[in-house]
């Protein structure tokens, strides 16, 4: 069994998608949030999962918070730490500590639009497609080897909310698949490229939606 700790900051719909996927040989051992009022925490607790809130405001700075967070995460001895809507910039120490077992989902087609307000920025740029990226985390924000990307069209009259909703559907489909591939040992990082051993012939680690 591979042990998974999921970090969230709010709704936690991606966390829910992973939990509900009942991935073989995977166990979600804890859901941790930097906000006590994160709706996802309640959802997880109702399903009998271990939950914790570690509030970043209670700490003097980023280093102190990340150190406390690491201590709590490590208590669960995770094989994988999943950032699923965890809205905090992490210290290089944190990223280094979990190197190779830290995965993030970001709501844009990286390297376009790292950071916040990705959907509005995609609209403002006139993009014809948008999407999400799931990647291994390195110290640089929203960088790191890309594991999978999901693509959706941008349509006339789109709003940031409508686009976010369309992208979110793909996120929910793709994230459990990536976790399953990680757990199965299918993800091999070669430089900046992730080789997914479950994909033969063509590289189809792109999920197209309309
Ligand atoms: C998702 O769009 C995710 O890509 C981004 O934050 C959002 C979190 O949504 N990092 P949820 O909390 O999983 O519902």
């Amino acid at each position: 069994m591979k042990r998974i700790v999921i970090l969230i900051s709010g709704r936690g719909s991606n966390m829910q998608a992973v939990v509900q996927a009942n991935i073989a040989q995977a166990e979600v051992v804890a859901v941790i949030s930097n906000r006590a009022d994160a709706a996802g925490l309640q959802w997880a607790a109702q399903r009998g999962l271990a939950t914790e809130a570690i509030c970043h405001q209670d700490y003097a700075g980023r280093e102190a918070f990340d150190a406390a967070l690491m201590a709590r995460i490590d208590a669960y001895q995770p094989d994988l730490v999943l950032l699923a809507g965890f809205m905090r910039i992490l210290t290089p120490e944190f990223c280094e500590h979990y190197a190779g077992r830290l995965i993030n989902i970001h709501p844009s087609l990286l390297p376009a639009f790292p950071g916040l307000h990705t959907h509005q920025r995609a609209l403002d740029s006139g993009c014809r497609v948008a999407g999400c990226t799931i990647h291994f985390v390195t110290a640089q924000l929203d960088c790191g080897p890309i594991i999978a990307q999901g693509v959706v069209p941008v349509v006339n009259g789109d709003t940031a909310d409508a686009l976010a909703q369309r992208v979110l559907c793909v996120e929910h489909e793709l994230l459990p698949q990536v976790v399953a591939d990680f757990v199965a040992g299918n993800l091999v990082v070669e430089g900046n490229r992730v080789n997914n051993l479950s994909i033969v012939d063509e590289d189809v680690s792109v999920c197209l939606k309309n």
Side-chain angles (χ1 to χ4, degrees):
M1 272 294 185
K2 297 286 187 204
R3 301 169 62 80
I4 304 172
V5 169
I6 305 182
L7 304 188
I8 64 169
S9 292
R11 172 179 61 183
S13 67
N14 278 292
M15 173 272 296
Q16 294 177 27
V18 171
V19 170
Q20 288 175 323
N22 287 319
I23 297 163
Q25 299 302 314
E27 185 186 0
V28 176
V29 290
V31 177
I32 300 177
S33 175
N34 63 312
R35 295 183 178 278
D37 62 353
L41 276 187
Q42 216 181 336
W43 184 94
Q46 281 165 356
R47 275 146 192 87
L49 296 172
T51 59
E52 294 196 29
I54 304 170
C55 300
H56 56 274
Q57 286 112 331
D58 295 345
Y59 295 85
R62 201 175 289 288
E63 281 73 21
F65 171 70
D66 277 13
L69 184 59
M70 273 194 266
R72 290 311 308 144
I73 293 171
D74 286 350
Y76 294 98
Q77 300 185 302
D79 299 289
L80 172 63
V81 177
L82 201 55
L83 307 177
F86 187 63
M87 305 302 284
R88 295 278 308 171
I89 293 174
L90 296 161
T91 56
E93 290 74 22
F94 185 101
C95 299
E96 186 54 40
H97 184 68
Y98 298 107
R101 53 183 175 130
L102 185 59
I103 289 177
N104 180 46
I105 182 160
H106 179 77
S108 81
L109 294 172
L110 291 171
F113 313 126
L116 298 174
H117 311 300
T118 54
H119 304 299
Q120 189 59 53
R121 288 158 67 200
L123 291 177
D124 292 346
S125 300
C127 294
R128 309 302 302 208
V129 294
C132 66
T133 302
I134 301 171
H135 63 98
F136 284 108
V137 175
T138 56
Q140 215 183 335
L141 179 69
D142 295 329
C143 277
I146 292 173
I147 303 165
Q149 291 185 302
V151 182
V152 302
V154 177
V155 301
N156 287 343
D158 252 348
T159 61
D161 284 349
L163 186 54
Q165 192 52 47
R166 200 174 306 127
V167 172
L168 200 61
C169 291
V170 185
E171 295 185 35
H172 295 165
E173 197 168 321
L174 214 49
L175 189 58
Q177 283 176 29
V178 165
V179 172
D181 276 323
F182 179 90
V183 165
N186 288 333
L187 305 180
V188 181
V189 183
E190 291 165 1
N192 217 22
R193 174 84 183 167
V194 179
N195 187 14
N196 187 334
L197 301 179
S198 76
I199 297 171
V200 285
D201 301 331
E202 289 302 302
D203 183 351
V204 288
S205 56
V206 170
C207 178
L208 286 167
K209 283 279 161 180
N210 56 29

